[in-house]
Amino acid sequence: MGEEEEKRPPVLQMVRAEGSDKSCVTFVLHNEDHTLGNSLRYMIMKDPDVDFCGYSITHPSESKINFRIQTKGGLSAVETFQKGLEELMGVCQHVLSTFEASVDEYKAKLDVNMV
């Protein structure tokens, strides 16, 4: 391993405040910005068992976000985070599939009109 690889921070870190339980966790996401932060926050806040979900960008020159989740009734914030990511991936896949189908439909119309 080169020195650069050893110094590279992990993509995701989990920080739990002293004395808190599994329902309150802050995740540090490296190399991310508002694009992921806001869309993931939206997906997670749809869950009625989530008390709080928010994110902050530590500084404009740093490429990382602090993403905090606090849940009700002892629900695991880690599981809620994973569920939010999975739901967001599902939405992104739907958008991609719809876009690709529209492009294919448009190309097919062009081919018909060219003949």
Side-chain angles (χ1 to χ4, degrees):
M1 274 173 117
E3 283 185 40
E4 287 183 24
E5 289 180 26
E6 291 176 15
K7 292 180 184 178
R8 191 178 307 162
V11 174
L12 173 68
Q13 294 174 304
M14 190 173 80
V15 180
R16 190 175 296 157
E18 190 174 320
S20 68
D21 61 3
K22 66 180 183 172
S23 67
C24 185
V25 176
T26 298
F27 302 90
V28 180
L29 297 139
H30 295 272
N31 299 318
E32 294 298 343
D33 57 17
H34 291 290
T35 304
L36 178 65
N38 198 33
S39 54
L40 184 57
R41 182 200 57 80
Y42 173 78
M43 297 303 289
I44 291 174
M45 281 303 297
K46 292 186 344 177
D47 187 337
D49 292 324
V50 173
D51 268 338
F52 175 81
C53 181
Y55 74 96
S56 63
I57 295 189
T58 56
H59 190 274
S61 67
E62 291 183 314
S63 181
K64 69 178 182 179
I65 61 175
N66 292 333
F67 197 90
R68 182 179 173 100
I69 300 174
Q70 189 170 337
T71 60
K72 299 176 185 174
L75 182 66
S76 168
V78 173
E79 290 175 12
T80 302
F81 182 71
Q82 289 173 332
K83 180 181 172 190
L85 286 170
E86 290 169 3
E87 289 176 356
L88 183 57
M89 286 185 346
V91 168
C92 290
Q93 186 58 51
H94 173 72
V95 169
L96 179 62
S97 299
T98 303
F99 175 76
E100 289 173 342
S102 294
V103 168
D104 291 344
E105 182 180 328
Y106 177 77
K107 286 180 178 179
K109 286 181 183 177
L110 281 178
D111 290 343
V112 169
N113 290 336
M114 295 262 185
V115 173

